[in-house]
Amino acid sequence: MLRVGLTGGIGSGKSAVARRLRDSGAVVIDADQVAREVVAPGTPGLAEVVAAFSDRVLTPQGALDRAALGALVFADEQGRRRLEAITHPRVRSRTAELMAATPPDAVVVNDVPLLVEVGLAPTYHLVVVVQTAVPIRLARLSQDRGMDRAEAERRIAAQTDDDRRRAAADVLVTNDGTLDELHAQVDAVWRERLLPYEENLRHRRPVRTRRVVLSEPDPTWPQQYARLAARLRHALAPADPRIDHIGSTAVPGLAAKDVIDIQLTVSSLTEADEVADRLADAGFPRVPGEWWDNPRPAGSGRWEKRLHGSADPGRPVHLHVRPAGSPGWRYALLMRDHLRADPDQRAAYLMLKRELAATAPDSGAYATAKDPWFDEEHLRAEQWADQTGWRP
């Protein structure tokens, strides 16, 4: 199933987004509701909380007094960690039970207020962040929850900032306008991103780009790579393989196809085949067929690899799985680093890319037409490596 993490700061309107996704057909799991459930009256969770913090955290009716508990742990780091040690494992276990009970073709949205703070982003196929300007959030907290301004500001300051949430976001929903405007954004995400992503994931179908369209340099490409790499690491844990951002999107200032190229280092192609299902489950299905890199210099035998893509229609990826130390593995790193270091060759490559994108817009023809330039660039890069002592 497609696992989506939904988060946003207090007062951002995250709950309205969750409701709209539920109305559209998503299975929504509310982390706050689960957190209440695991410490409901009569549960082992509540008994352990009382044992740790005394019956001062109970209401006269024997339920958890969340306000009293919050007052105890808000400024007490040790107390907060003790509480988290009690509740977090139970929340994770109950969430896993709820997810296991959903249909295999479901889009499961986990509504988690502190998703970024507790480092859960890599555990989802996609993270949706609801972002709202702070003055609007303050007004909503006052109007909808009767919260005074000082308390609202304190609550907002206690959470992570918008920059960290944006860094974790695959999809950013802005909620500074009307409810109708918010619904229109959510409906578009559901229709254009989540539904096709779920179908691609279920059928292990990678997204492919057929035409070459160059995009201007995007300063967020490295950040997007970092999210993808974290997802790959989570999928392959406890192993901790080398993962690198390669290709044109890894070279600052270089226009490129809006496709993130990633190199996953394995010990052998046998290992690459062994992890293929785990990569597919994480949203990176294998591209059918046999794949290899053209050797440099030509005639030295093809450089075999495994190629995976992304099932996410909103973020095309080429995931090159290559054995450590192999010629293709080394070449990908060398070319990236040389183009980063040599502005003249970077400019020459950009000129070539623009010419070919205009005359050979088919992706296969585009790649083939670059071969002569890369044969020459390979020699320049090897000379640069010798002169600088470069190592992959």
Side-chain angles (χ1 to χ4, degrees), residues 283-365:
F284 303 94
R286 186 167 167 176
V287 180
E290 296 184 3
W291 294 90
W292 61 88
D293 301 306
N294 291 332
R296 317 286 176 189
S300 58
R302 68 187 190 182
W303 297 343
E304 289 189 64
K305 65 178 178 181
R306 300 293 184 259
L307 182 65
H308 290 243
S310 170
D312 178 4
R315 173 28 63 213
V317 170
H318 291 159
L319 176 59
H320 309 263
V321 187
R322 298 183 175 109
S326 64
W329 174 88
R330 181 182 182 278
Y331 179 74
L333 299 170
L334 173 61
M335 297 307 301
R336 177 200 65 187
D337 291 350
H338 182 232
L339 287 174
R340 284 175 173 177
D342 190 327
D344 291 336
Q345 292 309 316
R346 191 163 61 243
Y349 183 40
L350 176 57
M351 184 180 299
L352 174 71
K353 284 160 68 79
R354 293 195 187 282
E355 291 174 358
L356 294 180
T359 58
D362 173 79
S363 58

Coordinates of all heavy atoms in Angstrom, one line a residue, residues 283-365:
G283 N 9.2 2.1 -3.2 CA 8.8 3.1 -4.2 C 9.8 3.2 -5.4 O 9.6 4.1 -6.2
F284 N 10.8 2.3 -5.5 CA 11.8 2.3 -6.5 C 11.8 1.0 -7.3 O 12.7 0.2 -7.1 CB 13.2 2.6 -5.9 CG 13.2 3.9 -5.1 CD1 13.0 3.9 -3.7 CD2 13.5 5.1 -5.7 CE1 13.1 5.0 -3.0 CE2 13.5 6.3 -5.0 CZ 13.3 6.3 -3.6
P285 N 10.8 0.8 -8.1 CA 10.8 -0.5 -8.9 C 11.9 -0.6 -9.9 O 12.3 0.4 -10.4 CB 9.4 -0.5 -9.5 CG 9.0 0.9 -9.6 CD 9.7 1.6 -8.4
R286 N 12.2 -1.8 -10.2 CA 13.3 -2.1 -11.2 C 12.7 -1.8 -12.6 O 11.6 -2.1 -13.0 CB 13.8 -3.5 -11.1 CG 14.9 -3.8 -12.1 CD 15.6 -5.1 -11.7 NE 16.5 -5.6 -12.7 CZ 17.2 -6.7 -12.6 NH1 17.1 -7.4 -11.5 NH2 18.0 -7.1 -13.5
V287 N 13.6 -1.2 -13.5 CA 13.2 -0.9 -14.9 C 13.4 -2.2 -15.6 O 14.5 -2.8 -15.6 CB 14.0 0.2 -15.5 CG1 13.6 0.4 -16.9 CG2 13.8 1.5 -14.7
P288 N 12.4 -2.7 -16.4 CA 12.6 -4.0 -17.1 C 13.7 -4.0 -18.1 O 14.1 -2.9 -18.6 CB 11.2 -4.2 -17.7 CG 10.3 -3.4 -17.0 CD 11.1 -2.2 -16.5
G289 N 14.3 -5.1 -18.3 CA 15.3 -5.3 -19.3 C 16.7 -5.3 -18.8 O 16.9 -5.2 -17.5
E290 N 17.7 -5.4 -19.7 CA 19.1 -5.4 -19.3 C 19.7 -4.0 -19.5 O 19.4 -3.4 -20.5 CB 19.9 -6.4 -20.1 CG 19.5 -7.9 -19.8 CD 20.4 -8.8 -20.6 OE1 21.3 -8.4 -21.2 OE2 20.1 -10.1 -20.5
W291 N 20.5 -3.6 -18.5 CA 21.0 -2.2 -18.6 C 22.5 -2.2 -18.4 O 23.1 -3.0 -17.6 CB 20.3 -1.3 -17.5 CG 18.9 -1.2 -17.8 CD1 17.9 -1.9 -17.4 CD2 18.3 -0.2 -18.6 NE1 16.7 -1.5 -17.9 CE2 16.9 -0.4 -18.7 CE3 18.8 0.9 -19.4 CZ2 16.0 0.4 -19.4 CZ3 17.9 1.7 -20.1 CH2 16.6 1.5 -20.1
W292 N 23.2 -1.3 -19.1 CA 24.6 -1.2 -18.9 C 25.0 0.2 -19.4 O 24.3 1.0 -20.0 CB 25.4 -2.2 -19.8 CG 25.1 -2.1 -21.3 CD1 25.8 -1.3 -22.2 CD2 24.1 -2.8 -22.0 NE1 25.2 -1.5 -23.4 CE2 24.2 -2.4 -23.3 CE3 23.1 -3.7 -21.6 CZ2 23.3 -2.9 -24.3 CZ3 22.3 -4.2 -22.6 CH2 22.4 -3.8 -23.9
D293 N 26.2 0.6 -19.0 CA 26.8 1.9 -19.4 C 27.8 1.7 -20.5 O 28.5 0.7 -20.6 CB 27.5 2.6 -18.2 CG 26.6 2.8 -17.0 OD1 25.6 3.4 -17.2 OD2 27.0 2.3 -15.9
N294 N 27.8 2.6 -21.5 CA 28.8 2.5 -22.5 C 30.2 2.7 -22.0 O 30.4 3.6 -21.2 CB 28.5 3.6 -23.6 CG 27.2 3.4 -24.3 OD1 26.8 2.2 -24.5 ND2 26.6 4.4 -24.8
P295 N 31.1 1.8 -22.3 CA 32.4 1.9 -21.7 C 33.2 3.1 -22.2 O 33.0 3.6 -23.3 CB 33.1 0.6 -22.2 CG 32.3 0.2 -23.4 CD 30.9 0.7 -23.3
R296 N 34.1 3.5 -21.4 CA 35.1 4.6 -21.8 C 36.5 4.1 -21.4 O 36.8 3.8 -20.3 CB 34.9 5.9 -21.0 CG 33.4 6.3 -20.8 CD 32.8 6.8 -22.1 NE 31.4 7.1 -21.9 CZ 30.6 7.5 -22.8 NH1 31.0 7.6 -24.1 NH2 29.3 7.7 -22.6
P297 N 37.4 4.0 -22.5 CA 37.1 4.2 -23.9 C 36.3 3.1 -24.5 O 36.1 2.0 -23.9 CB 38.5 4.2 -24.5 CG 39.3 3.3 -23.6 CD 38.8 3.6 -22.2
A298 N 35.8 3.4 -25.7 CA 34.9 2.4 -26.4 C 35.6 1.1 -26.6 O 36.9 1.1 -26.8 CB 34.4 3.1 -27.7
G299 N 34.9 0.0 -26.6 CA 35.5 -1.2 -27.0 C 36.0 -2.0 -25.8 O 36.6 -3.1 -26.0
S300 N 35.9 -1.5 -24.6 CA 36.4 -2.2 -23.5 C 35.4 -3.1 -22.8 O 35.6 -3.6 -21.6 CB 37.0 -1.2 -22.5 OG 36.0 -0.3 -22.0
G301 N 34.3 -3.4 -23.4 CA 33.2 -4.3 -22.9 C 32.2 -3.5 -22.1 O 32.5 -2.5 -21.4
R302 N 30.9 -3.9 -22.2 CA 29.9 -3.1 -21.6 C 29.9 -3.2 -20.1 O 30.3 -4.2 -19.5 CB 28.5 -3.4 -22.1 CG 28.0 -4.8 -21.7 CD 26.7 -5.1 -22.5 NE 26.1 -6.3 -22.0 CZ 25.0 -6.8 -22.5 NH1 24.4 -6.3 -23.5 NH2 24.4 -7.9 -21.9
W303 N 29.5 -2.1 -19.4 CA 29.6 -2.0 -18.0 C 28.1 -2.3 -17.5 O 27.3 -1.4 -17.5 CB 30.0 -0.6 -17.5 CG 31.4 -0.3 -17.9 CD1 32.4 -1.2 -18.4 CD2 32.0 1.0 -18.0 NE1 33.6 -0.5 -18.7 CE2 33.4 0.8 -18.4 CE3 31.6 2.3 -17.6 CZ2 34.3 1.9 -18.6 CZ3 32.5 3.3 -17.8 CH2 33.8 3.2 -18.2
E304 N 27.9 -3.5 -17.0 CA 26.6 -3.9 -16.5 C 26.2 -3.2 -15.2 O 27.0 -2.9 -14.4 CB 26.5 -5.4 -16.4 CG 26.5 -6.1 -17.7 CD 26.2 -7.6 -17.5 OE1 25.1 -7.9 -17.0 OE2 27.1 -8.4 -17.7
K305 N 24.9 -3.0 -15.1 CA 24.3 -2.4 -13.9 C 22.9 -2.8 -13.8 O 22.4 -3.5 -14.7 CB 24.4 -0.9 -13.9 CG 23.6 -0.2 -15.0 CD 23.6 1.3 -15.0 CE 22.8 1.9 -16.1 NZ 22.9 3.4 -16.1
R306 N 22.2 -2.5 -12.7 CA 20.8 -2.6 -12.6 C 20.2 -1.2 -12.5 O 20.8 -0.3 -11.9 CB 20.4 -3.4 -11.3 CG 21.0 -4.8 -11.3 CD 20.4 -5.7 -12.4 NE 20.9 -7.0 -12.3 CZ 21.8 -7.6 -13.1 NH1 22.4 -6.8 -14.0 NH2 22.2 -8.8 -12.9
L307 N 19.1 -1.0 -13.1 CA 18.4 0.3 -13.2 C 17.1 0.2 -12.5 O 16.2 -0.6 -12.9 CB 18.4 0.8 -14.6 CG 17.8 2.2 -14.8 CD1 18.7 3.3 -14.1 CD2 17.6 2.6 -16.3
H308 N 16.8 1.1 -11.6 CA 15.5 1.3 -11.0 C 15.0 2.7 -11.2 O 15.8 3.6 -11.5 CB 15.6 1.0 -9.5 CG 15.8 -0.4 -9.1 ND1 14.9 -1.2 -8.4 CD2 16.9 -1.2 -9.3 CE1 15.4 -2.4 -8.2 NE2 16.6 -2.5 -8.8
G309 N 13.7 2.8 -11.1 CA 13.1 4.2 -11.3 C 12.3 4.5 -10.1 O 12.4 3.8 -9.0
S310 N 11.4 5.5 -10.2 CA 10.5 5.9 -9.1 C 9.1 5.6 -9.6 O 8.7 5.8 -10.7 CB 10.7 7.3 -8.8 OG 9.7 7.8 -7.9
A311 N 8.3 5.1 -8.6 CA 6.9 4.9 -8.9 C 6.1 6.2 -8.7 O 4.9 6.3 -9.0 CB 6.3 3.8 -8.0
D312 N 6.7 7.2 -8.2 CA 6.1 8.5 -7.9 C 6.0 9.4 -9.2 O 7.1 9.8 -9.7 CB 6.9 9.3 -6.8 CG 6.4 10.6 -6.5 OD1 5.3 11.0 -7.0 OD2 7.0 11.3 -5.7
P313 N 4.8 9.7 -9.7 CA 4.7 10.5 -10.9 C 5.2 11.9 -10.8 O 5.5 12.5 -11.8 CB 3.2 10.4 -11.2 CG 2.6 10.2 -9.9 CD 3.5 9.3 -9.1
G314 N 5.4 12.4 -9.6 CA 5.8 13.7 -9.3 C 7.3 13.9 -9.1 O 7.8 15.0 -9.0
R315 N 8.0 12.8 -9.1 CA 9.5 12.9 -8.9 C 10.2 11.7 -9.6 O 10.5 10.7 -9.1 CB 9.8 12.8 -7.4 CG 11.2 12.7 -6.9 CD 12.3 13.3 -7.8 NE 12.2 14.8 -8.0 CZ 12.5 15.3 -9.2 NH1 13.0 14.6 -10.2 NH2 12.5 16.6 -9.3
P316 N 10.5 11.9 -10.9 CA 11.2 10.9 -11.7 C 12.6 10.7 -11.1 O 13.3 11.7 -10.7 CB 11.2 11.4 -13.1 CG 10.1 12.4 -13.2 CD 10.0 13.0 -11.8
V317 N 13.0 9.5 -11.1 CA 14.3 9.1 -10.5 C 15.0 8.0 -11.4 O 14.3 7.2 -11.9 CB 14.2 8.5 -9.1 CG1 15.5 7.9 -8.6 CG2 13.7 9.6 -8.1
H318 N 16.3 8.1 -11.6 CA 17.1 7.0 -12.2 C 18.0 6.5 -11.1 O 18.9 7.3 -10.6 CB 17.9 7.5 -13.4 CG 17.1 7.8 -14.6 ND1 17.6 8.6 -15.6 CD2 15.9 7.5 -14.9 CE1 16.7 8.8 -16.5 NE2 15.6 8.1 -16.2
L319 N 17.7 5.3 -10.6 CA 18.5 4.7 -9.5 C 19.5 3.7 -10.2 O 19.0 2.6 -10.5 CB 17.6 4.1 -8.5 CG 18.3 3.4 -7.3 CD1 19.2 4.3 -6.6 CD2 17.3 2.7 -6.4
H320 N 20.7 4.1 -10.3 CA 21.7 3.2 -10.9 C 22.4 2.3 -9.8 O 23.0 2.9 -8.8 CB 22.8 4.0 -11.6 CG 22.3 5.1 -12.5 ND1 22.2 4.9 -13.9 CD2 21.8 6.3 -12.3 CE1 21.6 6.0 -14.4 NE2 21.4 6.9 -13.5
V321 N 22.2 1.0 -9.9 CA 22.8 0.1 -8.9 C 24.0 -0.5 -9.5 O 23.9 -1.3 -10.4 CB 21.7 -0.9 -8.5 CG1 22.3 -1.8 -7.3 CG2 20.4 -0.3 -8.1
R322 N 25.2 -0.1 -8.9 CA 26.5 -0.6 -9.5 C 27.4 -1.1 -8.4 O 27.4 -0.6 -7.3 CB 27.2 0.6 -10.2 CG 26.4 1.3 -11.3 CD 27.3 2.4 -11.9 NE 26.7 2.9 -13.1 CZ 26.1 4.2 -13.2 NH1 26.1 4.9 -12.1 NH2 25.6 4.6 -14.4
P323 N 28.1 -2.2 -8.8 CA 29.1 -2.7 -7.8 C 30.2 -1.7 -7.4 O 30.7 -1.0 -8.3 CB 29.7 -3.9 -8.5 CG 28.6 -4.3 -9.6 CD 28.1 -3.0 -10.0
A324 N 30.6 -1.7 -6.2 CA 31.7 -0.9 -5.7 C 32.9 -1.1 -6.5 O 33.3 -2.3 -6.7 CB 31.9 -1.1 -4.2
G325 N 33.6 -0.1 -7.0 CA 34.9 -0.2 -7.7 C 34.8 -0.6 -9.1 O 35.8 -0.6 -9.8
S326 N 33.5 -0.8 -9.6 CA 33.4 -1.2 -11.0 C 33.6 0.1 -11.9 O 33.5 1.2 -11.4 CB 32.0 -1.7 -11.3 OG 31.0 -0.7 -11.0
P327 N 34.0 -0.1 -13.2 CA 34.3 1.0 -14.0 C 33.1 2.0 -14.1 O 33.3 3.2 -14.1 CB 34.6 0.4 -15.4 CG 35.0 -1.0 -15.1 CD 34.2 -1.4 -13.9
G328 N 31.9 1.5 -14.2 CA 30.8 2.4 -14.3 C 30.5 3.2 -13.1 O 30.2 4.4 -13.1
W329 N 30.7 2.5 -11.9 CA 30.6 3.2 -10.6 C 31.6 4.3 -10.5 O 31.2 5.5 -10.1 CB 30.8 2.1 -9.5 CG 30.9 2.6 -8.1 CD1 29.8 2.7 -7.3 CD2 32.0 2.9 -7.4 NE1 30.2 3.1 -6.0 CE2 31.6 3.3 -6.1 CE3 33.4 3.0 -7.7 CZ2 32.5 3.7 -5.1 CZ3 34.3 3.4 -6.7 CH2 33.8 3.7 -5.4
R330 N 32.9 4.0 -10.8 CA 33.9 5.1 -10.7 C 33.7 6.2 -11.7 O 33.8 7.4 -11.3 CB 35.3 4.4 -11.0 CG 36.4 5.4 -10.9 CD 37.7 4.7 -11.2 NE 38.9 5.5 -11.1 CZ 39.3 6.4 -12.0 NH1 38.6 6.5 -13.1 NH2 40.3 7.2 -11.8
Y331 N 33.3 5.9 -12.9 CA 33.1 6.9 -13.9 C 32.0 7.9 -13.5 O 32.1 9.1 -13.7 CB 32.7 6.2 -15.2 CG 32.4 7.1 -16.4 CD1 33.5 7.8 -17.0 CD2 31.1 7.3 -16.8 CE1 33.2 8.6 -18.1 CE2 30.9 8.2 -17.9 CZ 31.9 8.8 -18.5 OH 31.7 9.7 -19.6
A332 N 30.9 7.4 -12.9 CA 29.8 8.3 -12.5 C 30.3 9.3 -11.5 O 29.9 10.5 -11.6 CB 28.6 7.5 -12.0
L333 N 31.1 8.9 -10.6 CA 31.6 9.8 -9.6 C 32.6 10.8 -10.1 O 32.7 11.9 -9.8 CB 32.2 9.0 -8.4 CG 31.2 8.1 -7.7 CD1 31.9 7.1 -6.7 CD2 30.1 8.9 -6.9
L334 N 33.5 10.2 -11.0 CA 34.5 11.1 -11.6 C 33.9 12.2 -12.4 O 34.4 13.3 -12.3 CB 35.5 10.2 -12.4 CG 36.5 10.9 -13.3 CD1 37.5 11.7 -12.4 CD2 37.3 9.9 -14.2
M335 N 33.0 11.8 -13.3 CA 32.4 12.8 -14.2 C 31.7 13.9 -13.3 O 31.8 15.1 -13.6 CB 31.4 12.2 -15.1 CG 32.0 11.2 -16.1 SD 33.4 11.9 -17.0 CE 32.6 13.2 -17.8
R336 N 31.0 13.5 -12.3 CA 30.3 14.5 -11.5 C 31.3 15.5 -10.8 O 31.1 16.7 -10.9 CB 29.5 13.8 -10.4 CG 28.8 14.7 -9.4 CD 28.5 14.0 -8.1 NE 29.7 13.6 -7.4 CZ 29.7 12.8 -6.3 NH1 28.5 12.4 -5.8 NH2 30.8 12.5 -5.7
D337 N 32.4 14.9 -10.3 CA 33.3 15.7 -9.5 C 34.1 16.6 -10.5 O 34.5 17.8 -10.1 CB 34.2 14.9 -8.7 CG 33.5 14.2 -7.5 OD1 32.3 14.6 -7.3 OD2 34.1 13.3 -6.9
H338 N 34.4 16.1 -11.7 CA 35.2 16.9 -12.6 C 34.3 18.1 -13.1 O 34.8 19.2 -13.2 CB 35.7 16.1 -13.8 CG 36.5 16.9 -14.8 ND1 36.3 16.9 -16.1 CD2 37.6 17.7 -14.5 CE1 37.1 17.7 -16.7 NE2 38.0 18.2 -15.8
L339 N 33.1 17.8 -13.4 CA 32.2 18.9 -13.9 C 32.0 20.0 -12.8 O 31.8 21.2 -13.0 CB 30.9 18.4 -14.4 CG 31.0 17.6 -15.7 CD1 29.7 17.0 -16.1 CD2 31.4 18.6 -16.8
R340 N 31.9 19.5 -11.5 CA 31.8 20.4 -10.4 C 33.0 21.3 -10.3 O 32.9 22.5 -10.0 CB 31.6 19.7 -9.1 CG 30.3 19.1 -8.9 CD 30.3 18.3 -7.6 NE 28.9 17.8 -7.2 CZ 28.7 17.0 -6.2 NH1 29.7 16.6 -5.4 NH2 27.4 16.6 -5.9
A341 N 34.2 20.8 -10.6 CA 35.5 21.5 -10.4 C 35.9 22.3 -11.6 O 36.7 23.3 -11.5 CB 36.6 20.5 -10.1
D342 N 35.4 22.0 -12.8 CA 35.9 22.7 -14.1 C 34.8 23.5 -14.7 O 33.9 23.0 -15.4 CB 36.4 21.6 -15.0 CG 37.2 22.3 -16.2 OD1 36.8 23.4 -16.6 OD2 38.1 21.6 -16.7
P343 N 34.7 24.8 -14.5 CA 33.6 25.6 -15.0 C 33.6 25.7 -16.6 O 32.6 25.8 -17.2 CB 33.9 27.0 -14.4 CG 35.3 27.0 -14.0 CD 35.6 25.6 -13.7
D344 N 34.8 25.6 -17.2 CA 34.8 25.6 -18.7 C 34.2 24.4 -19.3 O 33.4 24.5 -20.2 CB 36.3 25.7 -19.2 CG 36.9 27.0 -18.8 OD1 36.2 28.0 -18.7 OD2 38.2 27.1 -18.7
Q345 N 34.5 23.2 -18.7 CA 33.9 22.0 -19.2 C 32.4 21.9 -18.9 O 31.6 21.4 -19.6 CB 34.6 20.7 -18.7 CG 36.0 20.6 -19.3 CD 36.0 20.7 -20.8 OE1 35.2 20.1 -21.5 NE2 37.0 21.5 -21.3
R346 N 32.1 22.5 -17.7 CA 30.6 22.5 -17.4 C 29.9 23.4 -18.4 O 28.8 23.0 -18.8 CB 30.5 23.1 -15.9 CG 29.1 23.0 -15.3 CD 29.2 23.2 -13.8 NE 29.7 24.5 -13.5 CZ 30.8 24.8 -12.7 NH1 31.5 23.8 -12.4 NH2 31.1 26.0 -12.4
A347 N 30.5 24.5 -18.8 CA 29.8 25.4 -19.8 C 29.7 24.7 -21.1 O 28.7 24.8 -21.8 CB 30.6 26.7 -19.9
A348 N 30.8 24.0 -21.5 CA 30.8 23.3 -22.8 C 29.7 22.2 -22.8 O 29.0 22.0 -23.8 CB 32.1 22.7 -23.0
Y349 N 29.6 21.5 -21.7 CA 28.6 20.4 -21.6 C 27.2 21.0 -21.6 O 26.3 20.5 -22.3 CB 28.8 19.6 -20.3 CG 27.9 18.5 -20.1 CD1 27.5 17.7 -21.2 CD2 27.3 18.2 -18.9 CE1 26.7 16.6 -21.0 CE2 26.5 17.1 -18.7 CZ 26.2 16.3 -19.8 OH 25.3 15.2 -19.6
L350 N 27.0 22.1 -21.0 CA 25.7 22.8 -21.0 C 25.3 23.2 -22.4 O 24.1 23.0 -22.9 CB 25.6 24.0 -20.1 CG 24.4 24.9 -20.1 CD1 23.2 24.0 -19.7 CD2 24.5 26.0 -19.1
M351 N 26.2 23.7 -23.2 CA 26.0 24.1 -24.6 C 25.6 22.9 -25.4 O 24.6 22.9 -26.2 CB 27.2 24.8 -25.2 CG 27.0 25.3 -26.6 SD 28.5 26.1 -27.2 CE 28.7 27.4 -26.1
L352 N 26.3 21.8 -25.2 CA 26.0 20.6 -25.9 C 24.6 20.1 -25.5 O 23.8 19.7 -26.4 CB 27.0 19.5 -25.6 CG 26.7 18.1 -26.2 CD1 26.9 18.1 -27.7 CD2 27.6 17.0 -25.5
K353 N 24.3 20.1 -24.3 CA 22.9 19.6 -23.8 C 21.8 20.4 -24.5 O 20.8 19.9 -24.9 CB 22.8 19.7 -22.3 CG 23.6 18.6 -21.6 CD 23.9 19.0 -20.1 CE 22.7 19.1 -19.3 NZ 22.2 17.7 -18.8
R354 N 22.0 21.7 -24.5 CA 21.0 22.6 -25.1 C 20.8 22.3 -26.6 O 19.7 22.3 -27.1 CB 21.3 24.1 -24.9 CG 21.2 24.5 -23.4 CD 21.2 26.0 -23.2 NE 21.3 26.4 -21.9 CZ 20.3 26.4 -21.0 NH1 19.1 25.9 -21.3 NH2 20.5 26.9 -19.8
E355 N 21.9 22.1 -27.3 CA 21.8 21.8 -28.7 C 21.1 20.5 -29.0 O 20.2 20.4 -29.8 CB 23.2 21.8 -29.3 CG 23.9 23.1 -29.4 CD 25.4 23.0 -29.9 OE1 25.8 21.9 -30.1 OE2 26.0 24.0 -30.0
L356 N 21.5 19.5 -28.2 CA 20.9 18.2 -28.4 C 19.4 18.1 -28.0 O 18.6 17.4 -28.6 CB 21.7 17.1 -27.7 CG 23.1 16.9 -28.2 CD1 23.8 15.8 -27.4 CD2 23.1 16.5 -29.7
A357 N 19.1 18.8 -26.9 CA 17.7 18.8 -26.5 C 16.8 19.4 -27.6 O 15.6 19.0 -27.7 CB 17.5 19.6 -25.2
A358 N 17.4 20.4 -28.4 CA 16.6 21.0 -29.4 C 16.5 20.1 -30.7 O 15.5 20.1 -31.4 CB 17.2 22.3 -29.8
T359 N 17.5 19.3 -30.9 CA 17.6 18.5 -32.2 C 17.3 17.0 -32.0 O 16.9 16.4 -32.9 CB 19.0 18.7 -32.8 OG1 20.0 18.2 -31.9 CG2 19.3 20.1 -33.2
A360 N 17.5 16.5 -30.8 CA 17.2 15.1 -30.5 C 16.5 15.0 -29.2 O 17.0 14.5 -28.2 CB 18.6 14.3 -30.4
P361 N 15.2 15.4 -29.2 CA 14.4 15.4 -27.9 C 14.1 14.0 -27.4 O 13.7 13.9 -26.2 CB 13.2 16.2 -28.3 CG 13.0 16.0 -29.8 CD 14.4 15.9 -30.3
D362 N 14.2 13.0 -28.2 CA 13.9 11.6 -27.7 C 15.1 11.3 -26.7 O 16.2 11.5 -27.0 CB 13.9 10.6 -28.8 CG 13.8 9.2 -28.3 OD1 12.7 8.8 -27.9 OD2 14.8 8.5 -28.3
S363 N 14.7 10.7 -25.6 CA 15.7 10.4 -24.5 C 16.8 9.5 -25.0 O 18.0 9.6 -24.7 CB 15.1 9.9 -23.3 OG 14.3 8.7 -23.5
G364 N 16.5 8.5 -25.8 CA 17.5 7.5 -26.3 C 18.4 8.2 -27.2 O 19.7 8.0 -27.1
A365 N 17.9 8.9 -28.2 CA 18.8 9.6 -29.2 C 19.6 10.6 -28.5 O 20.8 10.8 -28.8 CB 17.9 10.2 -30.2

